[in-house]
Amino acid sequence: MPETEARAVKARGRDDADLARLEAGLDSLETKPERRDSVGRVLRRTVAPPLLGIVLVLTVWQTLHLSGLVSEDRLPSPAAIGESLRTLWLRGTLFDIIWTSLERGLLGFLASVAIGTPLGLLVARVALVRAAVRPVLSGLQSLPSVAWVPAAVIWFGLTDGAMYAVILLGAVPSIAIGLVSGIDQVPPLYLRAGRVIGATGMNGARHILLPASLPGYTAGLKQGWAFSWRSLMATELIASSPELGIGLGRFLENSRENIDMPGVFLGILLILTVGVLIDLVVFSPLERRVLRNRGLALTGNGRP
């Protein structure tokens, strides 16, 4: 009997070893080796598609003009808009106009993050505050930012303060709601584990809640920037003062007043370009990194 039991123990040991090797093999099949893409591959994946889209739009645009389907006073040609851009460049005002708006937008967005993050934590973790404040934040998020411009001008006058007030009222609700949504998706097990190791209160928020809610928080930040930029453009379109200088929104409105259609379309394209570049340079890489760290990043074929 002892000899039979010994053989059985050895057999079970071999089975366990075979099972372990099988599991290791399956894990190695599921785990894709991380490889660093070449510069050419990155450029083909990230730069080539937008450039192809731009070329396609310009081709269709120019074709409409050559065919006579649209008139220059309604839809200026790409060449006319290029000439308007060249004029700003030669005057030396192009980068001043862009930077005036970009500086305001970035400062307003950073202030919105500083306010919206603790507000989102408070709304997410305190039931009474959630019941009272969450509907207000949702309402503010759906309210067009341009509606705040008259009130902001009355409050602060034609100053940068009015612009920052409109930015905050537009961006803070989006950032706070994004963080609340991210925290609501955090598994309760994380919070219980945090309490076991003493991560409660601010420590729990810093080391457990914020890292675990990063996907939702990142989406809120991305949307918050979009609201910041749109709020700023709406304010610059309406508020005009020599002390405010000329930003992209004011340049667009000045072009409209002068019935300068190439200038109008140039202003629209510059506003669009700055917003898209900030998204591509800042928020898209941040979002990909957050998703990749959680094994959720998508490959080029759309599969995880």
Side-chain angles (χ1 to χ4, degrees):
M1 183 67 64
E3 184 177 353
T4 303
E5 292 179 355
R7 285 197 297 269
V9 170
K10 290 181 180 180
R12 284 196 298 269
R14 286 194 298 270
D15 292 341
D16 292 341
D18 292 340
L19 180 60
R21 285 194 295 271
L22 177 61
E23 291 176 348
L26 292 175
D27 290 340
S28 64
L29 289 175
E30 293 180 356
T31 304
K32 297 179 180 179
E34 184 177 355
R35 62 177 183 179
R36 188 178 299 275
D37 290 339
S38 64
V39 176
R41 183 181 176 87
V42 172
L43 291 177
R44 287 194 301 270
R45 188 176 64 245
T46 61
V47 178
L51 287 179
L52 181 61
I54 293 173
V55 170
L56 179 61
V57 170
L58 290 177
T59 301
V60 173
W61 192 345
Q62 188 64 33
T63 301
L64 290 175
H65 275 276
L66 294 177
S67 63
L69 294 177
V70 295
S71 59
E72 190 73 27
D73 59 339
R74 296 294 181 181
L75 179 64
S77 65
I81 296 175
E83 183 61 28
S84 181
L85 177 63
R86 180 174 177 273
T87 300
L88 286 183
W89 174 271
L90 294 177
R91 289 177 183 173
T93 58
L94 176 61
F95 291 111
D96 290 338
I97 292 173
I98 294 174
W99 177 247
T100 297
S101 294
L102 185 58
E103 182 182 23
R104 288 173 180 155
L106 292 176
L107 289 177
F109 172 72
L110 292 176
S112 300
V113 173
I115 297 173
T117 300
L119 179 61
L121 285 171
L122 188 64
V123 171
R125 300 305 296 163
V126 181
L128 181 60
V129 176
R130 175 190 284 262
V133 177
R134 177 66 184 268
V136 177
L137 293 176
S138 299
L140 290 175
Q141 191 179 25
S142 62
L143 181 68
S145 301
V146 70
W148 289 109
V149 177
V153 171
I154 294 175
W155 292 335
F156 301 98
L158 293 173
T159 63
D160 284 336
M163 297 193 176
Y164 291 129
V166 176
I167 291 174
L168 291 175
L169 289 168
V172 167
S174 295
I175 295 173
I177 290 177
L179 181 55
V180 171
S181 299
I183 291 176
D184 288 345
Q185 297 173 15
V186 175
L189 179 62
Y190 289 9
L191 303 179
R192 291 196 293 269
R195 285 194 293 268
V196 169
I197 62 176
T200 59
M202 290 303 299
N203 285 331
R206 177 183 175 186
H207 298 290
I208 303 296
L209 282 179
L210 283 177
S213 62
L214 272 180
Y217 184 39
T218 303
L221 292 177
K222 189 174 182 178
Q223 190 176 38
W225 162 250
F227 273 87
S228 297
W229 191 239
R230 286 188 293 179
S231 301
L232 175 61
M233 292 301 105
T235 311
E236 287 186 351
L237 278 168
I238 297 175
S240 175
S241 171
E243 290 77 15
L244 293 175
I246 299 179
L248 289 171
R250 179 43 39 186
F251 171 77
L252 177 60
E253 180 61 15
N254 289 344
S255 299
R256 183 199 65 81
E257 293 173 354
N258 295 327
I259 317 179
D260 178 13
M261 283 302 290
V264 168
F265 273 86
L266 176 61
I268 293 173
L269 292 176
L270 288 175
I271 292 170
L272 177 65
T273 299
V274 172
V276 170
L277 284 178
I278 293 295
D279 179 75
L280 290 177
V281 173
V282 179
F283 294 104
S284 291
L286 176 62
E287 190 174 35
R288 285 196 301 269
R289 181 174 181 179
V290 169
L291 294 177
R292 188 184 301 115
N293 289 340
R294 284 158 174 75
L296 300 174
L298 297 179
T299 61
N301 56 14
R303 295 177 299 181

